[in-house]
C-alpha cells in the first residue's frame, strides 16, 4: 500500500467492549446500568425543575447548580446509546465517525464539569469572603458570560482530538476497551507515531483539570482563612456547611478523573478490569450522585422535594 493509502485507513466499524469474558451475562449487567441512567436523568431533571419553578432559587448558587445538572444530563446521554446497545441488545458496534462524535461530547462535558465546579468554588469564595459584594459581583449577565466561557473553552480544547485521530492509520485492530469511545482508547489502535496526540492530550488535561483544580484549592484556602477568623462557632459551621455539597462534588469528579489519567499513562501492568471499572466510575458516578448530594445537603431543594 502507498503511504497515502495507509494514512487514510480507518476501520468502518469499531467493536465496543463491555466486560471481557462476561458477554453471556450482559443482560444482567445492563440492569445496574439502567438503574444508574434512570437515577441520573430523573435526579438531574428534578433539580432543574425545582430551580426553574421556584423564583426564590434564581440565585447564583442555584444557577451554577443548574449548569452542573444540565452538564451531567449531557454526559449521561452521551454514553447511553452505546452502553445500552452493548449490554442490552448485544450490538457492540459503532462507526468511525460516530465514535469520534461520541468522544468529542464525552470529553467536552467532562471538561465543562471541571469548569462549572471552578465557577461554583468562585461563588462560594465571594459569598463567604466578600459577602457585601456578592450581589454586585455575580449578576445574572455575568453568570451567563461565565457559562458561555466554560462551554467555549471546553469545546475548543476538545476540537483537535477528532482531527488528530483522523490523520492516524488505525491498523492494530478495531476493538475498543470500553462500551464508549475515549481519545486514549482509539489512539492506542494507531500504527503510526502518536507523540502529538499524547502531548496534546496531556496539555488539554493540564490546562483544564490542572488549572481548574489549582484555583479550586486556592479558593478554599481563602475560604478556610476567612471562616477561621469568624468569632462565633455557629457561624463557622454555618459557613462551612454551605460548602459541603460542593466539596463532595469536587471529590466525586476529580478523584476518579485523576485515577483514570494515571492508569492510562502509568498503569500498563494494572489488570484490564481495573481500567474498565475506573472508567465507568469516572463517567457514571458524578451524574448519579451530584443531584442526590445537593438534594440532601441543600435545605431549599430538600424542602421543595418533600413539598412536591
Amino acid at each position: 500500500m502507498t503511504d497515502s493509502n495507509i494514512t487514510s485507513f480507518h476501520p468502518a466499524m469499531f467493536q465496543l467492549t463491555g466486560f471481557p469474558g462476561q458477554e453471556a451475562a450482559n443482560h444482567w449487567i445492563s440492569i445496574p446500568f439502567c438503574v444508574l441512567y434512570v437515577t441520573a436523568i430523573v435526579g438531574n431533571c428534578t433539580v432543574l425543575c425545582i430551580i426553574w419553578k421556584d423564583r426564590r432559587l434564581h440565585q447564583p448558587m442555584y444557577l451554577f447548580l443548574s449548569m452542573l445538572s444540565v452538564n451531567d444530563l449531557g454526559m449521561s446521554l452521551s454514553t447511553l446509546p452505546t452502553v445500552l446497545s452493548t449490554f442490552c441488545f448485544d450490538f457492540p458496534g459503532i462507526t468511525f465517525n460516530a465514535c469520534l462524535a461520541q468522544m468529542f461530547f464525552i470529553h467536552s462535558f467532562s471538561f465543562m464539569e471541571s469548569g462549572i465546579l471552578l465557577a461554583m468554588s468562585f461563588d462560594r469564595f465571594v459569598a463567604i469572603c466578600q459577602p457585601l459584594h456578592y450581589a454586585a459581583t455575580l449578576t445574572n449577565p455575568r453568570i451567563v458570560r461565565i457559562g458561555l466561557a466554560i462551554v467555549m473553552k471546553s469545546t475548543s480544547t476538545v476540537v483537535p482530538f477528532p482531527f488528530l485521530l483522523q490523520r492516524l492509520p488505525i491498523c492494530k485492530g478495531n476493538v475498543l476497551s470500553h462500551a464508549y469511545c475515549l481519545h486514549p482508547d482509539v489512539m492506542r489502535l494507531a500504527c503510526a507515531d502518536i507523540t502529538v496526540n499524547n502531548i496534546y492530550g496531556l496539555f488539554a488535561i493540564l490546562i483544564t483539570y490542572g488549572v481548574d483544580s489549582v484555583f479550586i484549592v486556592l479558593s478554599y484556602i481563602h475560604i478556610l482563612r476567612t471562616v477561621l477568623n469568624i468569632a462565633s462557632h455557629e457561624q463557622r459551621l454555618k459557613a462551612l456547611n454551605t460548602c459541603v455539597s460542593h466539596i463532595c462534588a469536587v471529590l466525586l469528579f476529580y478523584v476518579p478523573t485523576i485515577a483514570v489519567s494515571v492508569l492510562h499513562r502509568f498503569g500498563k501492568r494494572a489488570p484490564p478490569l481495573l481500567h474498565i471499572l475506573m472508567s465507568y466510575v469516572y463517567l457514571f458516578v458524578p451524574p448519579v450522585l451530584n443531584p442526590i448530594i445537593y438534594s440532601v445537603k441543600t435545605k431549599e431543594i430538600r424542602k421543595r422535594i418533600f413539598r412536591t
Side-chain angles (χ1 to χ4, degrees):
M1 295 177 65
T2 63
D3 289 342
S4 60
N5 287 335
I6 293 175
T7 54
S8 64
F9 176 74
H10 300 126
M13 297 285 290
F14 280 119
Q15 190 80 7
L16 301 171
T17 303
F19 290 92
Q22 302 298 322
E23 288 78 8
N26 274 352
H27 292 294
W28 292 105
I29 296 173
S30 68
I31 294 174
F33 280 107
C34 291
V35 172
L36 290 174
Y37 277 122
V38 171
T39 304
I41 293 171
V42 172
N44 286 290
C45 287
T46 301
V47 171
L48 284 172
C49 289
I50 288 173
I51 295 174
W52 178 267
K53 290 183 178 180
D54 194 341
R55 298 189 64 84
R56 293 172 299 178
L57 299 182
H58 293 183
Q59 302 172 23
M61 173 182 173
Y62 301 105
L63 295 178
F64 286 126
L65 178 56
S66 297
M67 293 183 194
L68 185 65
S69 293
V70 170
N71 190 80
D72 285 341
L73 281 173
M75 177 66 83
S76 297
L77 295 175
S78 296
T79 59
L80 185 146
T82 54
V83 170
L84 292 189
S85 68
T86 300
F87 290 108
C88 293
F89 305 111
D90 290 326
F91 182 72
I94 184 172
T95 63
F96 180 77
N97 289 330
C99 182
L100 294 184
Q102 185 185 48
M103 178 197 69
F104 172 81
F105 284 111
I106 289 176
H107 289 297
S108 293
F109 284 121
S110 180
F111 285 179
M112 284 183 215
E113 182 137 355
S114 178
I116 294 169
L117 291 174
L118 173 59
M120 295 174 82
S121 71
F122 176 68
D123 169 75
R124 293 299 83 205
F125 166 76
V126 176
I128 295 174
C129 300
Q130 300 176 356
L132 298 179
H133 301 283
Y134 184 73
T137 302
L138 290 171
T139 60
N140 287 342
R142 189 164 290 167
I143 292 172
V144 171
R145 288 197 293 270
I146 290 173
L148 290 175
I150 292 170
V151 173
M152 293 297 294
K153 176 180 179 291
S154 301
T155 53
S156 61
T157 303
V158 177
V159 160
F161 283 167
F163 295 102
L164 288 173
L165 288 175
Q166 280 186 328
R167 71 183 183 86
L168 297 174
I170 308 296
C171 52
K172 291 184 180 178
N174 67 336
V175 180
L176 300 178
S177 303
H178 309 95
Y180 41 79
C181 297
L182 296 176
H183 176 253
D185 203 17
V186 179
M187 181 178 65
R188 69 178 178 81
L189 299 178
C191 51
D193 187 11
I194 57 173
T195 303
V196 175
N197 296 65
N198 273 321
I199 292 175
Y200 184 77
L202 183 60
F203 169 76
I205 288 173
L206 289 177
I207 67 167
T208 305
Y209 301 144
V211 173
D212 291 350
S213 60
V214 167
F215 279 111
I216 290 172
V217 171
L218 290 176
S219 297
Y220 274 100
I221 289 174
H222 285 289
I223 289 171
L224 191 58
R225 286 179 178 174
T226 302
V227 169
L228 292 177
N229 289 329
I230 299 175
S232 171
H233 180 68
E234 291 182 359
Q235 289 180 333
R236 288 183 189 176
L237 291 178
K238 185 177 179 181
L240 288 175
N241 191 51
T242 63
C243 301
V244 171
S245 300
H246 180 254
I247 293 172
C248 292
V250 169
L251 293 176
L252 279 174
F253 177 75
Y254 277 105
V255 171
T257 299
I258 292 171
V260 168
S261 298
V262 171
L263 278 175
H264 270 303
R265 282 163 177 78
F266 306 109
K268 304 298 182 182
R269 297 182 180 178
L273 182 61
L274 181 61
H275 286 265
I276 296 170
L277 287 175
M278 287 307 303
S279 293
Y280 283 123
V281 169
Y282 149 69
L283 290 179
F284 284 85
V285 170
V288 171
L289 293 187
N290 280 339
I292 296 174
I293 291 170
Y294 276 95
S295 298
V296 170
K297 295 300 296 180
T298 307
K299 181 173 66 176
E300 289 79 6
I301 294 178
R302 186 172 67 249
K303 284 182 177 179
R304 183 59 187 263
I305 290 174
F306 288 143
R307 194 182 310 148
T308 302

